Amino acid sequence: MTMEERATRTPHPGPLAGMRVLELAQIMAGPTCGMMLADMGADVVKVEKLPGGDDARGYREPRVSGVSAPFMMLNRNKRGIAVDLKQAQGREILLRLVKSADVLTENFRRGTLEKFGLGYDVLARANPGLIYCAVSGYGRDGPFADRGGFDLIAQGFAGLMSVTGEPGRPPVKTGNPVADINAGLLACAGIAAAYAHKQRTGQGQIVDTSLMEAALQQTYWHAAIHFATGESPGPLGSAHLLTAPYQAFHATDGWINIGGANQANWERIADVLGHPEWRDDPRFATNSARMANLEALTATMNAVLATRTKAEWIDAFDAAGVPAGPVHTIGEALAHPQTLARGMVVELTHLQAGATTALGCPVHFSATPTRIDRPAPLLGEHTREVLRGSGYSDAEIDAFIAAGVVEAATLPDRT
C-alpha cells in the first residue's frame, strides 16, 4: 500500500471500529489477540521494545526478503511504533498514548510493567476507562503467578500431552501451539466483554488469562471423565474418548477421517462398507460395545477401507450423509476451494517482503465485515504517525529518535 493509499484509507467496517488498542504483547498469544481485534476493526498500535522489537522478528527461518514469516503472520492489520521503556521519556510517551486508548495488552511476567512504574494502578489513574489485558503463564495470582510460561510447558501442566499421541508412546504436544493461540482468543473475548461493560459504564478493568488456563480449557471431555470416575484418560491417537468410530482410517492412497458420532451414523457406515451385519454384531451393536472393542472395530473397518481410494470412500460416505473427510497436509488445506471460498487466504503487500500471503479471519459478520488490508509493520514504521497523532511535534520526535527513545523506520520509496 502506497503512502497515498494509506492517507485515503476508508474507515474500517468491522464491529470494533473505534476501539484503540496498545499492544505491548509479543511473540504469539498476545499478538493473536491483537490480530483478531484489528481484523474486527480496532486500531491496534503495536508498541515494540528497543532494541530489536518483538522477539518474533528474530525467528529467522523462514524469512521472506529478510522478514520473519511468523512475525508477518501474526501482526498484519496493526500499526507499529518502537519505544524504549527503560528511558523516562519512553515511559512518558506510553502514558500519553494510554490516555486515549481503550485497551492495553501485555504478556510479560507479573510485575514487569510495575518495575517500570507502569502497572495497572498507574495506567488507570491516567485513564480510568483503560482495559488492561494481561496474558501470562499461570495467571496473576496463585502459587505459580510469578513463573514464566511457554506453550509447551502449559500443555504439559494441563495434561494435554498425556492425552495426545498413540497409546504406549512418549508424551506428545499438539502439533500446533494450542495454549498460545487459545490464550489469544480468550484474551480477545475478554476484551470484547470488558469493552461492552465500558460502553455502558465508562469503567475499565483488568482482563486476566493465562496459557495454563487456555490449555486446561481444552480438556472439557477429559475433565468430565475425571470428575465422574476419578480416572485420568490417556492417549487414543486420532480416536475419540467417548464415541466410535470417530478417527482416522487408511484407504489405498492415504488417510481419511470418519465421524460415526451417533448410532444412526454407525449404521450408515456399516451399510456403506457393505457389512450391514455389523449393526447386530455384539461387539459393535452399541456405542459402549464399540468403545470396549475399539481395536477390533478399527482393524475390521481398515480391512475394508484399504480396498478403495480416499476420494471414492469420501464420496460414498457423503452420499450416505456420514461426516467424512481427508487428512490434509497444511498445503492441501490452505489450497482447498472451501478454504478459499471462506476468505481464509489473503494477499498482502509488505514494504520489504513484497507480495505475501496470510490466513484470513475465521469470524464472519453479515453487517460489519472484517477487513485485512495492512501488512505487518516494519520496526517503527508508524512511530512518527502515532506520535504526531498524540500531539508531539516533528522536532520533539526528531529529538526522541536522536536520543534512542524511539525508533522510526525509513520507509522505502515506492514512487
Side-chain angles (χ1 to χ4, degrees), residues 1 6 347-356 373-376 414:
M1 178 175 290
R6 292 169 192 270
E347 305 296 330
L348 294 167
T349 301
H350 188 271
L351 287 174
Q352 179 178 339
T356 60
D373 61 359
R374 190 196 294 273
R414 293 287 184 179

Side-chain angles (χ1 to χ4, degrees), residues 36-279:
M36 293 291 294
L37 296 173
D39 289 355
M40 292 187 281
D43 176 18
V44 178
V45 175
K46 187 172 185 68
V47 183
E48 298 188 67
K49 65 184 180 181
L50 287 176
D54 187 326
D55 285 346
R57 290 186 182 275
Y59 292 172
R60 299 195 174 277
E61 299 297 339
R63 297 178 81 81
V64 181
S65 298
V67 184
S68 165
F71 177 84
M72 286 194 290
M73 178 62 70
L74 289 174
N75 291 287
R76 51 83 182 303
N77 262 5
K78 304 171 186 178
R79 296 192 290 165
I81 69 173
V83 182
D84 185 359
L85 296 180
K86 296 186 294 295
Q87 297 196 45
Q89 288 180 313
R91 296 191 290 273
E92 291 169 6
I93 288 171
L94 182 66
L95 280 171
R96 183 181 292 196
L97 296 176
V98 162
K99 290 179 181 179
S100 61
D102 295 299
V103 180
L104 181 144
T105 68
E106 56 97 342
N107 59 352
F108 306 120
R109 286 187 186 231
R110 186 178 69 165
T112 297
L113 286 184
E114 285 80 358
K115 292 176 182 177
F116 289 121
L118 296 170
Y120 173 70
D121 57 340
V122 174
L123 302 180
R125 283 198 298 272
N127 179 358
L130 183 70
I131 297 165
Y132 180 105
C133 180
V135 182
S136 58
Y138 295 93
R140 290 172 65 85
D141 51 24
F144 278 20
D146 291 323
R147 295 193 181 189
F150 288 100
D151 178 86
L152 171 69
I153 310 305
Q155 287 199 35
F157 182 95
L160 289 183
M161 291 177 64
S162 74
V163 298
T164 305
E166 298 291 339
R169 303 288 295 171
V172 177
K173 74 175 184 65
T174 62
N176 66 312
V178 63
D180 270 340
I181 294 172
N182 194 46
L185 298 179
L186 293 177
C188 182
I191 287 169
Y195 190 59
H197 174 75
K198 176 181 176 174
Q199 297 297 94
R200 292 193 304 270
T201 67
Q203 297 175 348
Q205 61 183 303
I206 295 176
V207 175
D208 171 20
T209 192
S210 70
L211 303 188
M212 179 271 289
E213 289 160 302
L216 274 176
Q217 190 205 24
Q218 302 296 311
T219 69
Y220 282 134
W221 289 139
H222 301 80
I225 289 173
H226 176 74
F227 290 145
T229 68
E231 298 179 359
S232 294
L236 290 172
S238 64
H240 199 284
L241 74 166
L242 297 174
T243 189
Y246 191 95
Q247 65 184 79
F249 295 91
H250 207 284
T252 58
D253 58 346
W255 294 89
I256 62 171
N257 283 320
I258 302 173
N262 56 48
Q263 188 65 21
N265 274 336
W266 160 245
E267 294 176 1
R268 295 186 189 106
I269 290 168
D271 290 343
V272 170
L273 294 180
H275 289 276
E277 73 278 6
W278 289 351
R279 296 182 176 197

Side-chain angles (χ1 to χ4, degrees), residues 302-317:
N302 268 327
V304 178
L305 289 161
T307 64
R308 298 172 69 182
T309 67
K310 294 185 294 182
E312 289 173 323
W313 283 122
I314 290 171
D315 286 345
F317 285 122

